[in-house]
C-alpha cells in the first residue's frame, strides 16, 4: 500500500478533485487538514515550499510536495491507474 499523504482544506474544490481521484483508484492516504489562514500553514510550506493546497506527498515515488490539482490527478492516474 502506498504511503500517500494529502494536505487539504475542507470545502476546497481543488482538494475535492484530488480526493475523488484517490477514491476512484481505491488508494488509501493520510489526510492533513491545514489551517484556513495561509500564514498558519507552516507544515504544508515545509513540505512543498508554498502554502496552497492540495499538496500530495508520495515518498514511495520520491514525491515530496506536489501541488496543483491537475498535476496531482495526472500523476495518480499515471502511477496508480489500471
Amino acid at each position: 500500500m502506498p504511503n500517500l499523504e494529502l494536505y487539504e482544506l475542507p470545502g476546497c474544490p481543488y482538494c475535492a478533485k484530488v480526493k475523488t481521484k484517490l477514491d476512484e483508484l481505491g488508494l488509501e492516504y493520510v489526510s492533513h487538514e491545514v489551517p484556513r489562514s495561509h500564514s498558519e500553514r507552516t507544515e504544508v510550506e515545509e513540505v512543498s515550499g508554498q502554502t496552497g493546497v492540495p499538496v500530495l506527498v508520495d515518498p514511495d515515488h520520491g514525491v515530496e510536495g506536489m501541488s496543483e490539482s491537475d498535476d496531482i490527478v495526472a500523476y495518480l492516474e499515471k502511477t496508480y491507474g489500471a
Side-chain angles (χ1 to χ4, degrees):
M1 220 7 127
N3 296 312
L4 298 172
E5 296 180 56
L6 179 66
Y7 291 83
E8 62 169 318
L9 183 67
C12 163
Y14 304 106
C15 300
K17 179 179 180 178
V18 171
K19 289 174 71 169
T20 297
K21 181 52 66 177
L22 286 162
D23 292 342
E24 282 176 8
L25 295 171
L27 297 171
E28 291 182 18
Y29 60 96
V30 176
S31 173
H32 300 281
E33 196 173 302
V34 302
R36 192 156 290 283
S37 170
H38 281 262
S39 63
E40 296 175 19
R41 296 181 186 175
T42 54
E43 186 178 8
V44 74
E45 189 171 16
E46 287 172 13
V47 168
S48 66
Q50 48 91 43
T51 59
V53 288
V55 169
L56 181 76
V57 177
D58 184 0
D60 293 345
H61 291 90
V63 174
E64 297 179 357
M66 180 181 291
S67 57
E68 296 299 326
S69 59
D70 288 340
D71 293 345
I72 295 171
V73 166
Y75 166 78
L76 290 171
E77 287 175 344
K78 180 180 174 193
T79 306
Y80 298 102

